[in-house]
């Protein structure tokens, strides 16, 4: 179990909506699953040439000057919907609206990435891999000590995180999911940024896409 700030998540390699979500069988109140964010979801994104403002991952940040495009993001190597130029990092924001939190029984964040990432929900860090320690601010042009290959395109599974504190992380109204992905170095031949956010609903009505 990992803890950072005021949230708690469980990272698991087997729990993913790309296979059979095993914890569903322990959640009798879940009627169905929906994907709030998945491949093809439109994100605002920034290819930086300087360090972004410290509040870039919060709802109050103005991203009007950012570009927009569908996930995933990368170097046109077969698993990307939005092609980006060679970069040390990419910053992404996606806003979505929830009407009634009582309809949600569980939330899972999945991330397929190359080479390191950190993710935030309404300004609170919810997941991180190969990018320092929880809470670390990484320079936009910093190199990484290790690389990490994306998994989905080669038949593998993304990193998966069960958001145990989803009831305090999510809000009724507008929410912001923000992700930063860093390359091992500017000369790297690939980059992948494919975030997913899933929710288990206890009602029959569907709001978002199926997983």
């Amino acid at each position: 179990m990992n803890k950072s700030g005021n949230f708690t998540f469980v990272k698991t390699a087997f729990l993913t909506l790309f296979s059979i979500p095993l914890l569903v069988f322990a959640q009798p109140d879940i009627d169905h699953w929906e994907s709030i964010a998945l491949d093809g979801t439109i994100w605002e994104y920034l290819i930086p040439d300087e360090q972004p403002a410290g509040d870039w991952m919060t709802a109050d940040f103005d991203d009007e000057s950012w570009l927009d495009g569908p996930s995933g993001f990368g170097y046109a190597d077969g698993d990307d919907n939005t092609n980006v130029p060679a970069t040390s990092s990419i910053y992404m924001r996606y806003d979505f609206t929830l009407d009634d939190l009582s309809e949600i029984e569980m939330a899972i964040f999945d991330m397929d990435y190359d080479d390191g990432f950190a993710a935030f929900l309404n300004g609170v860090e919810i997941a991180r891999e190969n990018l320092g320690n929880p809470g670390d601010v990484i320079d936009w042009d910093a190199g990484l000590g290790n690389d990490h290959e994306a998994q989905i395109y080669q038949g593998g599974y993304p990193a998966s995180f069960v958001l145990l504190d989803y009831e305090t992380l999510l809000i009724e109204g507008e929410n912001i999911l923000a992700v930063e992905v860093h390359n091992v170095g500017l000369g790297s031949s690939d980059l992948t940024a494919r975030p997913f956010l899933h929710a288990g609903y206890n009602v029959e009505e569907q709001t978002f896409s199926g997983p």
Side-chain angles (χ1 to χ4, degrees):
M1 183 175 296
N2 303 282
K3 295 185 178 180
S4 175
N6 60 358
F7 81 96
T8 305
F9 65 82
V10 170
K11 181 184 183 301
T12 171
F14 62 83
L15 177 65
T16 169
L17 295 199
F18 288 86
S19 58
I20 297 176
L22 300 184
L23 285 186
V24 168
F25 299 110
Q27 296 291 323
D29 293 332
I30 293 179
D31 177 84
H32 67 281
W33 284 86
E34 299 183 17
S35 290
I36 298 172
L38 72 171
D39 278 344
T41 298
I42 304 298
W43 292 68
E44 309 297 320
Y45 71 96
L46 173 71
I47 304 298
D49 56 11
E50 61 181 0
Q51 192 72 12
D55 63 345
W56 71 272
M57 75 290 287
T58 67
D60 293 335
F61 178 77
D62 183 4
D63 60 11
E64 188 172 339
S65 64
W66 289 27
L67 301 172
D68 62 81
S71 175
F73 297 83
Y75 286 176
D77 53 359
D79 60 350
D80 312 306
N81 288 316
T82 297
N83 301 329
V84 299
T87 181
S88 297
S89 58
I90 181 173
Y91 295 77
M92 307 157 54
R93 290 168 49 89
Y94 170 59
D95 65 273
F96 60 94
T97 300
L98 297 175
D99 294 326
D100 187 353
L101 287 183
S102 69
E103 298 178 347
I104 297 177
E105 295 291 334
M106 182 181 290
I108 299 172
F109 176 75
D110 288 336
M111 186 70 192
D112 197 28
Y113 66 96
D114 183 327
D115 289 293
F117 83 93
F120 308 85
L121 190 53
N122 294 319
V124 178
E125 183 178 328
I126 58 170
R128 179 186 295 251
E129 284 197 348
N130 200 31
L131 199 67
N133 298 310
D136 284 354
V137 176
I138 307 300
D139 290 342
W140 69 277
D141 57 351
L144 304 183
N146 300 291
D147 59 4
H148 176 276
E149 186 69 15
Q151 297 298 306
I152 297 174
Y153 83 93
Q154 54 182 331
Y157 300 109
S160 190
F161 304 82
V162 180
L163 306 183
L164 299 181
D165 291 345
Y166 71 92
E167 292 174 296
T168 58
L169 292 167
L170 295 169
I171 60 175
E172 292 183 350
E174 184 181 13
N175 292 259
I176 296 291
L177 176 61
V179 181
E180 60 180 290
V181 174
H182 292 249
N183 220 336
V184 68
L186 185 58
S188 175
S189 62
D190 53 3
L191 176 140
T192 297
R194 297 175 69 182
F196 305 83
L197 180 62
H198 313 288
Y201 277 80
N202 58 27
V203 294
E204 294 182 359
E205 294 78 16
Q206 184 158 334
T207 303
F208 300 96
S209 299

